[in-house]
Amino acid sequence: MKMVTAIVKPFKLDDVREALSEIGVQGVTVTEVKGFGRQKGHTELYRGAEYVVDFLPKVKLEIAISADMLDQVIDVISKAANTGKIGDGKIFINDLDRVIRIRTGESDQDAL
């Protein structure tokens, strides 16, 4: 089992969610986050004062999947979140040792 964490631009969330749904991914946890990478921040003007916005809004998706779906999920997220511009995001993959569904007590593959 794998935990896929993807950081994407907020306006790409619906595209990624729909693409994941089409390949049979049933559960996604979404969190609004802020951060920066190579994109850095940018300068904005507010009421005549200039200030630097260091952290840019992003969306973090967490998806628990079976290992055999990994390549397909990575491909789908990469295509759906891509704008071709800096700041499109990143995908992180971690091993998932155990999963337990609280309601039924099912574990591991059955809980996904």
Side-chain angles (χ1 to χ4, degrees):
M1 296 178 299
K2 301 289 183 181
M3 175 63 81
V4 177
T5 303
I7 309 293
V8 301
K9 291 183 175 182
F11 68 89
K12 284 299 204 171
L13 175 59
D14 285 337
D15 294 342
V16 173
R17 185 187 52 78
E18 288 173 15
L20 287 169
S21 181
E22 286 175 12
I23 63 166
V25 173
Q26 294 180 348
V28 178
T29 300
V30 178
T31 311
E32 291 181 13
V33 295
K34 292 185 179 191
F36 72 91
R38 289 188 185 153
Q39 191 177 13
K40 304 282 191 258
H42 61 277
T43 305
E44 287 189 5
L45 199 61
Y46 179 71
R47 295 191 177 181
E50 195 172 279
Y51 66 100
V52 177
V53 178
D54 290 329
F55 297 102
L56 301 169
K58 301 287 182 177
V59 175
K60 178 167 90 170
L61 295 95
E62 295 172 298
I63 309 143
I65 56 168
S66 58
D68 61 331
M69 288 190 72
L70 182 61
D71 291 335
Q72 191 177 15
V73 167
I74 291 170
D75 187 52
V76 162
I77 294 171
S78 296
K79 287 179 181 169
N82 187 6
T83 66
K85 296 189 167 79
I86 192 168
D88 275 350
K90 288 199 170 52
I91 300 172
F92 305 93
I93 315 302
N94 293 307
D95 288 327
L96 199 54
D97 293 333
R98 202 147 178 227
V99 177
I100 299 160
R101 179 172 290 148
I102 294 171
R103 178 178 56 87
T104 63
E106 293 169 301
S107 63
D108 301 330
Q109 285 294 125
D110 294 334
L112 291 178

